[in-house]
Amino acid sequence: IWFLGICYHRKNDIDDNRFSKAASPAIERFKEDFSSRIWLTYRRDFKRIPGSQLTSDRGWGCMLRTAQMMMAQAVISHYLGRNWRWNRTQSDKDGMIHRMIIQWFADNPNPDSSPFSVHQLVKIGATMGKKPGDWFGPASAAFILR
């Protein structure tokens, strides 16, 4: 399995026992890496997007959520490094940085606490002629994040 530039393969396991029912150490490392990524998907019941009655992005927000996830990964890599993993024993500083990054993407209309919220992305999209509820393509989403 290749995941964000890292290969997780049984051949990399030191104790390769083909008859073991236990999960491969490489697979366990992959699961730890995968579960450390920020996952953003459709949401409902968030604060209304100004200029609309929308409180969900179901059906139109997929590209914005994808863009948010890519940006979140870039920010995590920048501040915590590519090899950072979420766990319950991380340092207080790393935990605080992780929580701060999650807050930046929260569905909150306040640009000071959540500059990459769906609310802010829709607001920036309005400068390109997009209305709340319009579908954003890959180029639009990338332009908005820029």
Side-chain angles (χ1 to χ4, degrees):
I1 300 170
W2 280 93
F3 184 63
L4 298 172
I6 296 177
C7 180
Y8 296 96
H9 193 282
R10 287 190 72 115
K11 287 183 181 179
N12 296 338
D13 293 345
I14 295 170
D15 298 324
D16 185 13
N17 181 350
R18 294 169 200 254
F19 301 104
S20 172
K21 292 188 178 190
S24 159
I27 297 303
E28 292 305 314
R29 288 191 311 275
F30 164 75
K31 289 178 182 178
E32 184 180 75
D33 188 0
F34 183 83
S35 65
S36 296
R37 304 305 122 210
I38 296 174
W39 183 39
L40 299 158
T41 187
Y42 293 135
R43 303 234 176 93
R44 63 180 178 188
D45 299 327
F46 52 69
K47 292 182 182 176
R48 188 181 56 79
I49 294 177
S52 77
Q53 295 301 312
L54 296 171
T55 59
S56 171
D57 62 335
R58 191 174 133 238
W60 60 271
C62 57
M63 193 56 60
L64 294 179
R65 296 303 186 178
T66 301
Q68 283 180 316
M69 284 191 287
M70 288 190 304
M71 178 66 98
Q73 176 55 36
V75 173
I76 291 277
S77 291
H78 176 75
Y79 284 104
L80 298 171
R82 171 60 184 94
N83 293 320
W84 177 84
R85 302 291 182 266
W86 184 88
N87 61 53
R88 298 186 196 302
T89 60
Q90 64 196 3
S91 73
D92 289 342
K93 180 182 176 188
D94 284 356
M96 185 224 26
I97 291 170
H98 186 249
R99 286 188 300 278
M100 176 186 71
I101 292 168
I102 290 172
Q103 179 60 46
W104 288 350
F105 294 90
D107 292 330
N108 182 339
N110 182 342
D112 295 329
S113 63
S114 302
F116 302 113
S117 70
V118 72
H119 296 77
Q120 294 308 308
L121 300 182
V122 168
K123 183 178 177 181
I124 295 167
T127 66
M128 300 169 41
K130 297 278 190 183
K131 297 179 193 131
D134 283 354
W135 184 79
F136 289 73
S140 301
F143 183 81
I144 288 168
L145 285 176
R146 183 182 65 118

